[in-house]
Amino acid sequence: MSVQERKERERAVRERLIVATARELAEQQGWDAVTTRRLAERIEYSQPVLYSHFRGKREIIGAVALEGATEMAAALRAATSAADGPRARVTALARAYLVFAERNPAVYDAMFQLDGGLAFADEVETPEPLKNAFAALLETLREVAGEGVHPGLFTEVFWAALHGLATLIRAGRLPTGDAERRAELLVARLAVV
C-alpha cells in the first residue's frame, strides 16, 4: 500500500468517526449539543483536523442526512420486499418509514428538519442517497397511485402525509402507540389497491 493510499484510508476512517460521533451526540443530547469543539474533544483530534473534513456543523448535518437516507432506503426496501401484494407492500412501507423516524430522531431531523446544505428535488444537484431514498418510496407507491395519477406526485403526497405523521408524533402532538392504525388508514384512504 502506498503512502497516499494509507493517508486516504486514514482520512476516510476519520471522516466516518466524525459523522458517527456527531450522530451519537445528537441522538443522546440533541443537535444543539453538537459543536465542532465538542466533536473534536470526543474524537480526540484538533478542531483544524475536523475542519479539514467539514467546513462546519452544517456539512456534518448533511453527511448524517446522507447516511440516514441510505439507511432509510434500505429499511423501506427490506420491509416492502417481505410483503405480498400491493396493499401489504404500501402498509409495510408506511410502517417502516414511521419506525425509522421514531428510532432515529436526530438522523430524521438531519434529513428533513435541519439545514445540511443539501439540494432536494433537483435533477442535477440532489445527492444520490436522497434520490435513492425517494426512489425507495416511488418503487412501491407507483403501483397504487391510481389511474391517471402521476406516480411521482402521488409519492410526494404520500411521503408528505408520512412525514406529517412522524413529525406530529415526535412532537407529542399525536398520541404514541397508534402508528400501525395510522399507517393502515393512510393506505386505505390514499392508495388504490
Side-chain angles (χ1 to χ4, degrees):
M1 174 184 312
S2 73
V3 172
Q4 182 63 29
E5 289 171 330
R6 182 181 53 76
K7 284 183 179 184
E8 287 174 13
R9 188 180 77 219
E10 289 171 356
R11 180 173 176 75
V13 168
R14 269 194 317 270
E15 193 164 301
R16 285 192 303 273
L17 178 62
I18 293 166
V19 172
T21 303
R23 185 174 172 165
E24 178 183 308
L25 187 57
E27 291 292 357
Q28 292 170 352
Q29 300 176 28
W31 278 104
D32 287 342
V34 179
T35 64
T36 54
R37 181 191 308 168
R38 189 174 277 165
L39 283 174
E41 289 171 2
R42 284 216 174 177
I43 65 171
E44 298 179 347
Y45 283 99
S46 67
Q47 282 184 284
V49 169
L50 194 138
Y51 283 116
S52 75
H53 291 273
F54 299 99
R55 284 183 276 185
K57 183 176 176 177
R58 181 179 186 217
E59 284 189 4
I60 294 168
I61 290 169
V64 170
L66 293 176
E67 190 175 270
T70 299
E71 291 170 9
M72 186 176 77
L76 297 178
R77 287 187 174 110
T80 57
S81 70
D84 187 29
R87 184 183 191 98
R89 280 190 288 280
V90 176
T91 303
L93 175 113
R95 286 182 192 139
Y97 186 96
L98 295 173
V99 166
F100 181 87
E102 178 186 346
R103 290 185 182 163
N104 304 282
V107 173
Y108 193 82
D109 285 346
M111 292 168 66
F112 300 120
Q113 302 291 96
L114 302 174
D115 179 10
L118 304 173
F120 283 81
D122 185 293
E123 293 272 337
V124 177
E125 299 295 322
T126 301
E128 282 306 312
L130 298 180
K131 289 179 183 179
N132 187 39
F134 185 79
L137 293 165
L138 180 62
E139 290 161 9
T140 296
L141 293 171
R142 79 173 55 235
E143 65 183 324
V144 297
E147 186 76 28
V149 176
H150 187 279
L153 291 176
F154 179 76
T155 300
E156 290 169 358
V157 170
F158 199 93
W159 173 29
L162 286 173
H163 175 69
L165 284 172
T167 302
L168 290 169
I169 291 167
R170 288 188 52 227
R173 302 297 195 261
L174 295 176
T176 58
D178 284 332
E180 180 121 356
R181 288 184 22 212
R182 288 183 184 109
E184 289 173 5
L185 181 60
L186 184 62
V187 173
R189 295 295 183 229
L190 288 183
V192 177
V193 285

